[in-house]
Amino acid sequence: AAGAGGQQWVLVEMVQAFYEAPAYHLILEGILILWIIRLLFSKTYKLQERSDLTLKEKEELIEEWQPEPLVPPVPKDHPALNYNIVSGPPTHIVTVNGKECINFASFNFLGLLDNEKVKSAAQASLKKYGVGTCGPRGFYGTFDVHLELEERLAKFMRTEEAIIYSYGFATIASAIPAYSKRGDIVFVDEAACFAIQKGLQASRSNIKLFKHNDMADLEQLLKEQETEDQKNPRKARVTRRFIVVEGLYMNTGDICPLPELIKLKYKYKVRIFLEESLSFGVLGEHGRGITEHFGINIDDIDLISANMENSLASIGGFCCGRSFIIDHQRLSGQGYCFSASLPPLLAAAAIEALNIMEDNPDIFQTLRAKCERIHKALQGISGLKVVGESFSPALHLQLEESCGSRENDVKLLKRVVDYCMNSGIALTQARYLEKEEKCLPPPSIRVVITVEQTEQELDKAAALLKEAAQSVLN
């Protein structure tokens, strides 16, 4: 009896709820019920039987089919497909396409590429070790000369430890994803070089670009992130934050405001990765880079990366910092773990180049004076503007006004480069993978300064560029 009374009470409640429910609620439920009934009793669809094609029809379809191109069509006159052929070493005087020119294109800042001491060290190593290594560092690819170079680099940079890579581009591109993973946050300057961009892409981290050298914009992003972290403190505790910058920017020739970055680092508790391929062997009294230039304690930087393909006139790159940071790369740096190690002859050449840098500290002041001389001489060229610091060994000349399209700008600047080449000055245009760059820089002519260039040659190059601009642009 109690059970029957309970069921009757539930039925009464259901009827009461039905009368009290809003009209739109009843209509919606009714529509859903009708839709379910329709689905239950509707007929199932049968696929039409496929009719087989005749052999003739198949052949006609095959003949008509045109596959899409694997890559988009590229014009034969594309700059990347038309090389300037160098005969002999790309030293102070270089032979390009059979014509002898003064070299303002190669990144041989300290003139060590053809240095007799460097070549002798490389030749002695070649006789002792052979040409290559045929194995990565963890698999019989570690030679005593590699360990010596790492020790010398750490000592030169005044850090605890250094690690070398066999390819300059892969150095920072491997170092970033070794530390920054999915879910981590990286604040990066929008003018960062392509190697940094590839490292960020491989890390799959959350990337936040700030305006070039704009510390106010960076701090705004850091404040916004701090606010987000306060909303979810548990996630914030396991999220790593990095700032990635260059000492001297490859794409602009500008120096990064490192003292301000250090203040932001400690204020917002982030780590700093510093790419110094252009500033190593250039800035500072002894060529140690931007930290020496500003007088900043190198321990304030979490990781320093640079290639050995500019000032050291070798191949490969290195990272330096605290021992526990560098040791992690030996386990996680993809370019270190999976690439064949640096050929011993190139490691020996880099060691000898370091010896020369240590024995001749005046070389850095000589380079700086020559950079400042040509920077001043290039001012006031009609139609062109100089981009980059006065002490940067790689300057950019950009058009003051665009022709209306990037393609036309590139062609116009190429005519200026060709004009100079025909008069015995070798220059080059800055090249980019246009479809892959995050923030594509404007087209430019790159002017590279080395210690080997004489004052007369610097003045000649500046005068010739003015003449070329007058002839081509006006």
Side-chain angles (χ1 to χ4, degrees):
Q7 291 178 358
Q8 186 176 8
W9 176 252
V10 170
L11 185 62
V12 170
E13 281 189 334
M14 289 177 64
V15 172
Q16 186 177 357
F18 180 80
Y19 280 110
E20 292 177 356
Y24 72 86
H25 192 275
L26 297 175
I27 294 170
L28 181 61
E29 285 190 348
I31 292 172
L32 289 173
I33 291 170
L34 291 173
W35 181 256
I36 292 170
I37 293 171
R38 182 179 180 278
L39 288 175
L40 289 173
F41 293 98
S42 62
K43 294 181 179 179
T44 57
Y45 292 96
K46 292 183 179 180
L47 295 174
Q48 294 181 355
E49 294 183 2
R50 181 174 60 85
S51 58
D52 293 331
L53 298 173
T54 64
L55 181 62
K56 184 179 180 182
E57 288 173 333
K58 290 179 181 179
E59 290 176 350
E60 288 176 352
L61 286 173
I62 292 171
E63 189 175 349
E64 291 174 2
W65 180 72
Q66 292 293 332
E68 291 185 5
L70 186 62
V71 294
V74 179
K76 291 185 178 180
D77 61 346
H78 193 281
L81 302 180
N82 294 273
Y83 305 105
N84 289 315
I85 310 301
V86 176
S87 306
T91 53
H92 174 218
I93 302 299
V94 62
T95 303
V96 184
N97 301 330
K99 185 175 181 61
E100 196 172 86
C101 300
I102 304 169
N103 192 349
F104 281 85
S106 300
F107 288 75
N108 182 27
F109 301 143
L110 302 182
L112 300 179
L113 193 147
D114 202 36
N115 183 279
E116 290 301 326
K117 291 183 178 179
V118 174
K119 290 196 293 186
S120 296
Q123 287 169 355
S125 178
L126 178 63
K127 291 178 181 178
K128 180 179 179 180
Y129 298 101
V131 178
T133 61
C134 297
R137 289 288 296 272
F139 298 91
Y140 301 102
T142 296
F143 289 57
D144 53 359
V145 70
H146 294 142
L147 302 178
E148 182 184 353
L149 176 55
E150 289 177 341
E151 184 181 347
R152 287 294 305 281
L153 284 166
K155 182 180 177 182
F156 180 80
M157 293 298 290
R158 296 178 177 173
T159 57
E160 292 180 4
E161 196 170 333
I163 181 174
I164 59 172
Y165 287 75
S166 52
Y167 182 33
F169 185 94
T171 306
I172 189 65
S174 298
I176 291 173
Y179 303 100
S180 184
K181 308 294 183 181
R182 188 191 297 273
D184 294 334
I185 300 166
V186 184
F187 302 90
V188 60
D189 192 297
E190 65 182 13
C193 65
F194 196 61
I196 290 177
Q197 295 177 42
K198 290 289 104 177
L200 296 171
Q201 184 180 351
S203 74
R204 299 185 179 183
S205 302
N206 183 12
I207 311 303
K208 298 194 175 185
L209 297 173
F210 60 89
K211 296 175 184 176
H212 180 47
N213 274 351
D214 190 334
M215 295 299 98
D217 188 43
L218 172 58
E219 184 164 17
Q220 180 62 34
L221 291 175
L222 290 167
K223 285 180 179 177
E224 291 173 1
Q225 185 58 45
E226 191 176 54
T227 303
E228 288 295 318
D229 291 343
Q230 291 171 355
K231 294 178 182 177
N232 192 347
R234 177 179 291 182
K235 181 182 178 182
R237 280 196 296 271
V238 297
T239 301
R240 289 165 291 196
R241 300 161 198 80
F242 303 89
I243 296 174
V244 180
V245 291
E246 294 178 63
L248 277 175
Y249 283 88
M250 183 70 70
N251 293 341
T252 66
D254 296 329
I255 191 170
C256 82
L258 192 58
E260 296 176 54
L261 283 166
I262 298 297
K263 293 177 183 177
L264 293 176
K265 168 189 172 169
Y266 289 112
K267 183 177 180 180
Y268 293 97
K269 298 178 178 60
V270 293
R271 299 175 175 92
I272 292 182
F273 285 1
L274 184 59
E275 216 292 323
E276 290 218 68
S277 291
L278 208 60
S279 51
F280 171 74
V282 172
L283 296 184
E285 185 180 353
H286 302 91
R288 293 190 178 95
I290 190 172
T291 52
E292 187 178 46
H293 174 81
F294 282 116
I296 289 173
N297 188 339
I298 203 163
D299 289 335
D300 288 332
I301 309 300
D302 296 278
L303 184 73
I304 289 178
S305 166
N307 71 42
M308 299 186 291
E309 299 164 2
N310 299 338
S311 293
L312 292 182
S314 184
I315 295 292
F318 71 91
C319 291
C320 60
R322 299 283 183 88
S323 292
F324 72 93
I325 293 176
I326 298 304
D327 286 343
H328 179 70
Q329 282 190 59
R330 300 190 192 279
L331 301 173
S332 303
Q334 294 181 357
Y336 179 90
C337 295
F338 301 109
S339 295
S341 60
L342 186 70
L345 67 96
L346 295 172
I351 291 171
E352 187 57 39
L354 278 174
N355 291 338
I356 295 171
M357 288 169 60
E358 291 177 336
D359 295 340
N360 301 276
D362 294 341
I363 197 172
F364 307 111
Q365 291 303 317
T366 302
L367 177 62
R368 184 179 183 122
K370 293 186 176 183
C371 292
E372 291 173 347
R373 183 183 184 92
I374 196 167
H375 187 276
K376 183 178 180 181
L378 290 173
Q379 301 298 323
I381 297 180
S382 178
L384 294 175
K385 61 180 179 180
V386 183
V387 178
E389 305 288 349
S390 62
F391 46 79
S392 173
L395 303 172
H396 291 263
L397 292 173
Q398 297 176 356
L399 293 172
E400 287 184 338
E401 293 184 10
S402 173
C403 298
S405 73
R406 186 179 183 87
E407 183 180 358
N408 290 335
D409 291 350
V410 169
K411 288 180 179 179
L412 200 61
L413 291 174
K414 186 179 185 303
R415 288 173 58 194
V416 174
V417 170
D418 291 342
Y419 187 102
C420 294
M421 182 81 74
N422 293 332
S423 300
I425 298 294
L427 296 165
T428 185
Q429 288 179 266
R431 298 283 171 79
Y432 308 98
L433 292 178
E434 298 181 4
K435 294 183 179 180
E436 296 192 36
E437 287 278 349
K438 288 289 184 183
C439 299
L440 183 62
S444 66
I445 298 170
R446 185 180 283 138
V447 182
V448 180
I449 302 95
T450 72
V451 295
E452 292 182 308
Q453 296 155 354
T454 65
E455 292 182 354
Q456 291 77 16
E457 289 167 343
L458 294 171
D459 295 340
K460 178 184 176 181
L464 189 59
L465 277 164
K466 289 181 181 179
E467 182 183 313
Q470 184 67 31
S471 173
V472 174
L473 304 180
N474 299 323

